[in-house]
Amino acid sequence: TFVQEVIRHLKHGDMSMISDCAYVAMDLLAAAGRTELLSDMRGAIAAQLDWKIDDERFDQLMLVAHAAAGNDDEVRDRLADGEASLQSYRAAIRGYANSTQQMHKAVDCLSRMNMAGRPVCPTIVAELIRQTRRNAGDVLELVTQLGENLDLSAAVAQEMVQVCLEGRSMDAVARVEEIATERGIVLPTKTYEKWLMACADRCDKHGASVVRRMTLAGHIPCKRLCKNMMA
């Protein structure tokens, strides 16, 4: 079996190698939603290699696995405690984000984390957008859901724009800017400048619209930027 193959491999390594490889193997099982194999792996490592995985880290791996497998009740129970850690929420979000079909559950989990009084971390939102892109999902739909369900901060909005620009999701960038404006968030000049440069790189005719949005936000495009746009 997979577990025994991993154990045979680990028996030839030192304790440092056992630790690193064991976590990699269990991380793969968690991402695939294989909760039973994950438990088997933990037991086999403890029995045959005399090495014990950290309980908290294993709990987070199981949370990833349950989310990836779509075991919503189990995820909900594990997060029901008002003291659920940020790492636990991140684990659940990561598990859900492995599947485009479950992305709305990741957004819902983020929303519950937000309602529990925990601020939304820009890196979590950025990873959600990147994972959606890797899964060939609809980035525009995702940022719209995020805007509807989360109390976005300026830092999160800026990160969302940056990640959308990385993937050249220009419609999604525009939607994030609209959401930010609706929330009274003023994006910095540099964010609009990066947006304009992305338009210029793609010969995107929407650059004029970006200049208008930038001006409405109270920013004035510099001469160098205008020359680049004209070129």
Side-chain angles (χ1 to χ4, degrees):
T1 66
F2 175 79
V3 171
Q4 290 307 316
E5 284 294 327
V6 172
I7 296 297
R8 274 196 289 271
H9 174 71
L10 294 179
K11 283 181 177 178
H12 299 291
D14 57 23
M15 193 56 65
S16 175
M17 179 264 206
I18 290 174
S19 174
D20 292 343
C21 292
Y23 278 124
V24 169
M26 287 189 287
D27 196 62
L28 290 172
L29 290 174
R34 304 300 296 273
T35 55
E36 291 185 6
L37 280 179
L38 195 55
S39 294
D40 291 345
M41 176 76 75
R42 183 191 196 187
I45 289 174
Q48 300 181 47
L49 300 177
D50 194 29
W51 179 75
K52 185 175 183 294
I53 181 175
D54 177 76
D55 289 339
E56 183 177 355
R57 187 162 181 180
F58 183 77
D59 286 344
Q60 290 169 13
L61 285 169
M62 283 298 287
L63 196 45
V64 172
H66 281 300
N71 300 332
D72 300 336
D73 290 341
E74 185 69 32
V75 173
R76 195 175 298 109
D77 288 344
R78 287 170 178 259
L79 295 178
D81 184 355
E83 298 300 317
S85 68
L86 177 61
Q87 288 74 19
S88 294
Y89 278 107
R90 292 186 76 147
I93 291 165
R94 180 186 157 214
Y96 282 135
N98 283 328
S99 167
T100 302
Q101 288 72 28
Q102 296 203 103
M103 193 60 69
H104 66 284
K105 297 180 184 178
V107 175
D108 180 62
C109 196
L110 257 178
S111 178
R112 281 188 281 135
M113 182 184 79
N114 204 187
M115 291 172 63
R118 298 183 181 278
V120 177
C121 179
T123 56
I124 297 179
V125 175
E127 183 52 33
L128 262 184
I129 296 173
R130 291 192 179 102
Q131 188 62 42
T132 297
R133 193 164 63 237
R134 286 192 287 267
N135 292 342
D138 190 333
V139 174
L140 176 59
E141 181 182 350
L142 174 64
V143 299
T144 298
Q145 289 182 20
L146 291 171
E148 291 173 348
N149 290 278
L150 302 181
D151 181 17
L152 298 182
S153 66
V156 171
Q158 290 174 43
E159 187 70 14
M160 289 171 69
V161 169
Q162 180 60 40
V163 178
C164 290
L165 285 174
E166 286 176 9
R168 294 296 189 261
S169 304
M170 308 305 277
D171 288 344
V173 175
R175 183 67 187 116
V176 174
E177 197 267 352
E178 289 172 1
I179 293 169
T181 301
E182 291 168 1
R183 300 288 180 84
I185 298 172
V186 179
L187 298 175
T189 303
K190 286 188 177 181
T191 299
Y192 285 97
E193 290 179 345
K194 289 178 181 178
W195 189 3
L196 280 169
M197 291 305 296
C199 287
D201 290 342
R202 300 175 72 241
C203 296
D204 192 324
K205 295 180 180 179
H206 290 90
S209 173
V210 179
V211 171
R212 181 180 61 78
R213 291 170 181 253
M214 184 177 183
T215 303
L216 288 173
H219 305 303
I220 300 176
C222 67
K223 185 181 294 186
R224 174 187 57 81
L225 190 61
C226 291
K227 286 183 177 180
N228 285 336
M229 287 295 297
M230 292 292 290

